[in-house]
Amino acid sequence: MYKYLKFQLSQQARPSIPKREESLALGINAIPKNAKQIMTETKSILRLKKKHAADPERSVANVNVQALLDEQSMSRATLGALLALIILNAMWVYFSLLFDRFYPWGSIIQGFMIGRAVRHFGNGIHWKFPLLAAALAVAGALTGSFVVSLNLTAREFSTSALSLLSEVSWYTIETFMTRDFGRVGFIYAVTAAVLAAFFANRRLDQYEEVALRKGREVNRA
């Protein structure tokens, strides 16, 4: 009798376990009502915009081809590229003297910056602008390497670069081209020229390219 009463009391003290249907109902009620809206907003945030989406306000007819041609300036491109060449040569010399080492890959950095300078100042879309950038990149590679070698040699002999410059002869230049510049310098100079030519021209959108091509076809006809 005692065991039976103890069992009844333990059953009454145990908390009631909800049925499966009640637990499912509780789970459904716990979901917010605007869950679908939240998921939709999340998808819209994560979805990237199309880079090449058509602009309804742009068309080939609205492009002024003559204005694109008039914005070109070979003189500004030349001055801007020369200024970049001088500054970069000075920086090349400074860092070479600072670390007491010759860095031939400095001509590649020069080629990239000269190309960007031609694009920024020239706004060119003609083939002459990449040719100008490539020529100045090669010139910058030659002059930069020569000036750096001259300053490092002057430091080695405890003299100034100007005093060595007064003693430069054709033999000195020949020795520099064959030993100091050499094949490695030539490879870096060609790479700099390619980079400069690639970044020299102005970047046009699809409408400007189509309009420019149509304008050239009309002029040829």
Side-chain angles (χ1 to χ4, degrees):
M1 186 66 180
Y2 172 75
K3 291 181 179 181
Y4 177 75
L5 292 175
K6 186 176 181 182
F7 175 75
Q8 292 292 334
L9 291 173
S10 63
Q11 290 294 328
Q12 293 177 2
R14 182 180 298 175
S16 59
I17 301 175
K19 297 180 181 180
R20 183 179 181 184
E21 292 78 4
E22 295 178 355
S23 62
L24 290 175
L26 290 173
I28 292 173
N29 293 331
I31 299 176
K33 295 180 180 179
N34 58 346
K36 187 175 181 179
Q37 182 182 358
I38 294 174
M39 293 176 64
T40 305
E41 292 177 356
T42 305
K43 289 181 180 180
S44 64
I45 293 173
L46 296 177
R47 186 178 299 152
L48 297 176
K49 295 182 179 180
K50 294 182 179 180
K51 293 182 179 180
H52 303 285
D55 189 356
E57 298 181 357
R58 292 280 291 170
S59 64
V60 178
N62 293 333
V63 177
N64 191 346
V65 178
Q66 190 60 40
L68 293 176
L69 297 175
D70 292 340
E71 288 177 358
Q72 300 181 111
S73 177
M74 183 64 72
S75 59
R76 289 201 304 266
T78 304
L79 291 176
L82 286 175
L83 181 62
L85 188 151
I86 294 172
I87 295 174
L88 291 168
N89 271 352
M91 293 179 63
W92 196 355
V93 172
Y94 172 77
F95 283 107
S96 296
L97 292 176
L98 180 64
F99 296 103
D100 199 19
R101 292 189 61 182
F102 175 66
Y103 300 101
W105 45 262
S107 57
I108 296 180
I109 300 176
Q110 274 192 334
F112 171 74
M113 297 303 295
I114 287 173
R116 294 302 298 265
V118 171
R119 180 200 296 184
H120 178 74
F121 293 101
N123 287 323
I125 53 180
H126 199 268
W127 59 267
K128 293 180 180 179
F129 290 90
L131 184 61
L132 171 68
L136 289 177
V138 173
L142 288 171
T143 57
S145 300
F146 181 78
V147 174
V148 169
S149 299
L150 188 68
N151 280 271
L152 290 176
T153 305
R155 169 182 283 185
E156 183 179 355
F157 289 98
S158 300
T159 184
S160 64
L162 292 176
S163 61
L164 288 181
L165 187 62
S166 60
E167 300 178 3
V168 171
S169 61
W170 285 110
Y171 177 76
T172 306
I173 297 175
E174 184 181 356
T175 304
F176 163 76
M177 293 297 297
T178 55
R179 295 182 181 180
D180 296 336
F181 195 73
R183 295 180 180 179
V184 176
F186 177 77
I187 293 173
Y188 280 120
V190 172
T191 306
V194 172
L195 279 176
F198 179 78
F199 288 102
N201 265 349
R202 177 179 179 177
R203 294 298 181 261
L204 304 175
D205 58 26
Q206 54 182 344
Y207 304 104
E208 292 172 341
E209 289 179 356
V210 173
L212 184 62
R213 185 168 60 250
K214 288 184 177 180
R216 288 174 178 172
E217 291 175 357
V218 170
N219 292 332
R220 290 175 184 175

